[in-house]
Amino acid sequence: MAQTLDISRGNANATVISGTAASVAAPASPSLIGLSRHEIVEHLKELDVPERTLRMRANQIWHWAYVAGHTGFDDMTNVAKGLRADLSDRFCLERPEIVTEQISSDGTRKWLLRLAAGPNGEPGPEVETVYIPEKTRGTLCISSQVGCTLTCTF
């Protein structure tokens, strides 16, 4: 479904891109996305990763997931094949789903994100975020509650 809405000025000249509204099934395995390095270390301990290599392995996984943006463990070529297989068996690297995206004529972008589904398959919580580009920087607003107290024009 496409419609127009300028989310930064109230004008009708932005593109709205809608994803599916259907709930997403819970991933077969818990995601490592969103965990701290310390939490990743704790999960690696469950996989019997040697104590002396825990921090290094957590940093490698962190790099592949967040810096390189990979979504599969097979891509992690500097991680031992056996550990990659164990990670694939127990975890995933699922990221939030973009439910809708609105792009304004001034470059402002507004996304509705759905986080991972719950353990019983119930839809995950949704979070709204807006990226506002400026000449020397960009601002990212993330709504954690209804009724933000800022007086943005969108």
Side-chain angles (χ1 to χ4, degrees):
M1 168 192 332
Q3 63 186 43
T4 58
L5 170 69
D6 187 327
I7 59 177
S8 66
R9 304 279 184 260
N11 298 327
N13 58 3
T15 305
V16 177
I17 304 166
S18 297
T20 62
S23 63
V24 176
S29 307
S31 181
L32 293 181
I33 296 298
L35 300 182
S36 67
R37 282 186 173 102
H38 174 75
E39 291 168 320
I40 293 172
V41 164
E42 293 304 311
H43 285 299
L44 291 174
K45 286 179 183 178
E46 296 170 13
L47 297 175
D48 296 325
V49 172
E51 184 75 30
R52 61 183 166 70
T53 64
L54 284 170
R55 280 189 37 207
M56 176 190 68
R57 294 298 186 203
N59 286 335
Q60 288 172 322
I61 293 166
W62 183 275
H63 174 82
W64 283 106
Y66 292 109
V67 177
H70 288 270
T71 58
F73 296 107
D74 289 339
D75 298 333
M76 301 179 180
T77 55
N78 62 347
V79 176
K81 285 183 182 180
L83 178 56
R84 284 187 273 170
D86 290 345
L87 288 167
S88 291
D89 289 344
R90 296 270 311 271
F91 304 102
C92 69
L93 295 172
E94 181 178 296
R95 288 165 167 77
E97 169 196 8
I98 298 174
V99 177
T100 59
E101 178 181 38
Q102 298 174 342
I103 305 170
S104 175
S105 60
D106 70 354
T108 300
R109 294 174 177 263
K110 184 176 178 180
W111 296 286
L112 177 62
L113 305 174
R114 182 175 297 126
L115 306 180
N120 297 323
E122 68 271 8
E126 293 181 343
V127 179
E128 193 168 75
T129 183
V130 177
Y131 171 72
I132 306 165
E134 300 176 60
K135 287 183 181 181
T136 60
R137 65 180 189 170
T139 300
L140 184 64
C141 297
I142 302 173
S143 174
S144 60
Q145 61 185 4
V146 175
C148 177
T149 60
L150 296 177
T151 57
C152 297
T153 58
F154 50 83

